[in-house]
Amino acid sequence: MEMKRTHPLIITAAVAVILAAGIAIASMTGLLPSSQANMSEQEIAQMAEEKRLEEQAKIKEEAAAKKAAAAHSHKPAYKPAPVQTAAICNNCGRVVEVRQTRIQGEGSGVGAVAGGVVGGLLGNQVGGGSGKKVATAAGVVGGALLGNKIEKDRNSSTQYDVVVKFEDGTSDVYSFSSQPNWQAGDRVKVVNGQLTSSL
């Protein structure tokens, strides 16, 4: 019958466990030179007190270093120079748009009367009998309407509206009967209710 052999790794592990247990027992019983088992309770207490004092001194040094660093890094607060804001000119602004508008003239009635007479005369020249009467009546009505329109067109005018946006955010429109010198983007100023150029 063949004997089973124990694997070498198992033997190595068993030896390591035995050695670790022996070292632990020697440490607890004071057989090892570095063990504190040979030291008296007074020596152990003195070592603990020294360690506590060392830690307190280290904490105090760190606090002093932080305080010194904070004192060196503390700079007076930066105060920015006050910003000078330009005073708003309520009557200063910029031209936004120049609009051209045709204003229809008023009819005085002269054009309608004159047109009616001329239209009646022309209508009277057309046809004969009752057709002549119808043509004359149509000529009077048509001539009156046409004469009135011609008179209104003759009396119509062009108006120029200048739209201005002021520095305070408001806007206004100034009307002129002739074409003004301003264009969109020009700086203007209102003086005594009149629009003037501003540099």
Side-chain angles (χ1 to χ4, degrees):
M1 205 193 269
E2 240 183 80
M3 299 245 341
K4 288 189 179 179
R5 296 177 63 191
T6 306
H7 196 278
L9 283 178
I10 294 175
I11 295 171
T12 305
V15 171
V17 169
I18 293 169
L19 281 176
I23 291 171
I25 292 169
S27 174
M28 289 195 298
T29 57
L31 295 175
L32 289 178
S34 63
S35 172
Q36 292 180 356
N38 291 335
M39 297 175 72
S40 67
E41 288 181 13
Q42 187 179 6
E43 289 173 331
I44 293 172
Q46 186 178 356
M47 283 182 62
E49 181 65 20
E50 286 175 2
K51 187 170 184 180
R52 187 181 65 78
L53 291 173
E54 282 177 13
E55 287 177 0
Q56 281 183 347
K58 187 176 179 183
I59 290 171
K60 285 181 181 177
E61 284 176 17
E62 288 176 358
K66 285 181 182 178
K67 190 174 181 181
H72 287 296
S73 67
H74 182 68
K75 295 179 182 174
Y78 171 73
K79 291 184 180 178
V83 178
Q84 297 290 334
T85 54
I88 293 177
C89 175
N90 291 333
N91 57 346
C92 300
R94 215 172 263 288
V95 175
V96 177
E97 179 185 9
V98 178
R99 294 188 296 234
Q100 181 179 340
T101 309
R102 187 80 176 159
I103 305 298
Q104 184 70 41
E106 294 293 324
S108 64
V110 174
V113 171
V117 170
V118 172
L121 289 174
L122 291 175
N124 196 30
Q125 302 295 322
V126 177
S130 62
K132 191 173 198 177
K133 289 179 185 178
V134 171
T136 302
V140 169
V141 173
L145 291 173
L146 186 59
N148 189 40
K149 169 116 175 59
I150 290 170
E151 183 183 16
K152 283 184 177 181
D153 287 346
R154 234 169 148 194
N155 293 336
S156 66
S157 60
T158 302
Q159 177 177 297
Y160 298 91
D161 294 329
V162 179
V163 182
V164 177
K165 183 165 186 177
F166 293 100
E167 289 181 7
D168 64 359
T170 60
S171 297
D172 206 349
V173 179
Y174 295 87
S175 298
F176 298 90
S177 57
S178 60
Q179 183 155 6
N181 297 325
W182 300 293
Q183 298 176 353
D186 290 348
R187 288 190 57 75
V188 290
K189 187 174 185 177
V190 178
V191 179
N192 296 327
Q194 301 295 319
L195 199 60
T196 60
S197 294
S198 174
L199 300 174

